[in-house]
Amino acid sequence: MDRVKIIEVKQSVFANNDQRADQLRQELKQQGIFLLNLMSAPGSGKTTTLKRTVELLRDELKIGVMEADIDSDVDAKAMAEAGVKAIQLHTGGMCHLDADMTRQGLDVLAKEAKVELAILENVGNLVCPAEFDTGAVKNAAILSVPEGDDKPLKYPLMFQVCDVVLINKIDVAPYFDFDLEKCREYIRMRNPNARVIPICAKTGEGVELWAAWLREQVSAWRS
Amino acid sequence: MHELGIVFHIIDSVEKVAADNRLEKVSAVVLELGEVSGVVPEYLTDCWRWAASKSPLVEGSALKIEPLAAVTHCDNCGKEYSTVIHGKTCPYCQSGSTWLLTGNEVNIKEIEAY
């Protein structure tokens, strides 16, 4: 047998995915599609927030939603009821989506309808989705009051990669030891550029502000 | 399950490198793993054994993990310290304006092939 050959690689495991994500972003730019990647822990209100968001934007933008879950289609059904194109992506046990899986989802979505704003509801998880660039134009995270104001300290990467953080369920803040100012400070520590918007998806409080942010981003990307 | 996704990406990269270098069989993959990369080495090698068996190129190969220490740099006093021991706050000057110098890497260092 020949001697063992050693090939120096010195490459991040995420390099290939990062490349594919950049490629996808370029294509989306040419096609005039804005892709938002929405991430959070399970149960923080991604689907409820999305329902509110599309109610405010569906008359001015063609919206398509990709729901990523390990199993079931309850989220896609909920979005379809809200009146937007929705598809369900099953990750087959994986805890995140990568650029290739996102591309496959966008292809399916494109067959159903021409969209201007595509929203990816990532798998409920604060660790893995932050590591894999999906090709999204902007990343958003939801942190809900019952989860605690120290989440940005415990899951630094998630808050580093986010352009905007929605603090959801602020209506129940009086019942929890949640300090909004402290939470803002912790987010600033991780990412000084992240916009923080407190909302209550259930009552609709603050959602206008978030929809305005998104509207601005979409129009900047498509211009 | 987080580690499984990473293993798939490693195999993906290794397949690319192998194609570029005309390798037919890989005997080991050497991975540099940062202390605060959030990846658990034991889970990673378990997933590797399973996933590698599905790819003829890497089947039966070893995943060798070389740990990399996590070091944080303080912008305020200019010193460096161990991230795992002290976290985000500088132990010398108590400043919070610190950033991770090394420690979140998941790098394929080299590939051993016949």
Side-chain angles (χ1 to χ4, degrees):
Chain A
M1 195 182 282
D2 288 337
R3 243 163 28 96
V4 171
K5 265 193 283 188
I6 307 238
I7 288 132
E8 257 198 65
V9 184
K10 273 284 178 194
Q11 175 192 295
S12 164
V13 167
F14 305 111
N16 279 344
N17 184 62
D18 288 349
Q19 235 171 34
R20 283 172 201 162
D22 283 337
Q23 167 77 23
L24 179 58
R25 242 186 314 274
Q26 272 173 28
E27 290 172 29
L28 291 172
K29 177 84 184 166
Q30 283 157 10
Q31 295 161 7
I33 300 172
F34 182 96
L35 174 63
L36 175 81
N37 177 23
L38 182 62
M39 299 175 280
S40 84
S44 61
K46 284 190 295 301
T47 309
T48 311
T49 303
L50 272 188
K51 276 171 84 172
R52 282 280 178 188
T53 311
V54 302
E55 277 167 23
L56 291 174
L57 296 173
R58 68 184 167 201
D59 292 336
E60 49 192 288
L61 286 168
K62 291 186 196 100
I63 305 174
V65 176
M66 297 180 283
E67 297 286 349
D69 282 298
I70 288 171
D71 204 352
S72 101
D73 60 355
V74 288
D75 284 352
K77 276 186 180 149
M79 291 316 298
E81 279 163 22
V84 291
K85 285 282 166 211
I87 60 164
Q88 184 79 45
L89 304 175
H90 283 164
T91 59
M94 298 265 263
C95 48
H96 64 274
L97 282 182
D98 59 21
D100 274 350
M101 292 189 258
T102 307
R103 177 188 290 277
Q104 286 165 19
L106 283 166
D107 286 347
V108 175
L109 202 58
K111 276 182 202 140
E112 304 248 330
K114 186 169 166 42
V115 299
E116 296 158 335
L117 168 61
I119 303 174
L120 170 64
E121 186 182 326
N122 215 314
V123 182
N125 181 332
L126 284 177
V127 184
C128 322
E131 286 177 341
F132 291 90
D133 189 342
T134 56
V137 182
K138 296 284 171 187
N139 291 308
I142 302 178
L143 190 172
S144 67
V145 165
E147 295 169 52
D149 50 30
D150 54 359
K151 269 270 160 83
L153 300 180
K154 295 179 181 167
Y155 301 90
L157 187 63
M158 175 55 70
F159 294 89
Q160 266 165 40
V161 302
C162 273
D163 300 288
V164 59
V165 179
L166 303 177
I167 299 180
N168 192 19
K169 308 187 188 179
I170 47 163
D171 57 326
V172 297
Y175 308 101
F176 290 87
D177 293 327
F178 188 94
D179 186 329
L180 184 59
E181 281 321 301
K182 242 192 210 162
C183 189
R184 281 182 190 273
E185 175 58 31
Y186 294 150
I187 295 169
R188 221 176 359 253
M189 270 167 69
R190 296 304 179 199
N191 181 355
N193 302 319
R195 174 87 190 268
V196 178
I197 306 175
I199 64 162
C200 174
K202 198 177 165 195
T203 62
E205 190 183 344
V207 181
E208 290 270 2
L209 211 63
W210 149 243
W213 181 89
L214 191 55
R215 188 184 288 123
E216 237 172 69
Q217 303 295 325
V218 175
S219 101
W221 178 252
R222 286 168 48 81
S223 64
Chain B
M1 38 184 190
H2 160 71
E3 280 72 13
L4 184 58
I6 289 170
V7 159
F8 285 139
H9 280 273
I10 299 174
I11 293 177
D12 202 36
S13 302
V14 170
E15 281 174 347
K16 249 187 158 176
V17 173
D20 291 346
N21 291 278
R22 299 205 184 116
L23 306 176
E24 275 162 22
K25 189 78 189 147
V26 166
S27 55
V29 174
V30 183
L31 196 73
E32 291 176 330
L33 197 60
E35 262 184 315
V36 295
S37 62
V39 179
V40 184
E42 291 78 15
Y43 291 168
L44 202 62
T45 42
D46 273 353
C47 292
W48 179 260
R49 267 196 289 278
W50 180 82
S53 69
K54 316 270 168 203
S55 157
L57 177 76
V58 290
E59 195 185 353
S61 68
L63 183 70
K64 299 180 182 171
I65 296 175
E66 295 183 357
L68 283 181
V71 178
T72 295
H73 175 89
C74 174
D75 271 345
N76 189 50
C77 70
K79 291 200 172 95
E80 282 161 16
Y81 62 87
S82 160
T83 314
V84 173
I85 299 172
H86 302 289
K88 177 84 182 146
T89 308
C90 175
Y92 300 106
C93 70
Q94 270 66 52
S95 164
S97 3
T98 57
W99 48 275
L100 191 68
L101 201 62
T102 57
N104 63 351
E105 298 84 354
V106 187
N107 291 336
I108 301 174
K109 186 184 174 195
E110 56 196 29
I111 294 171
E112 298 173 12
Y114 296 120

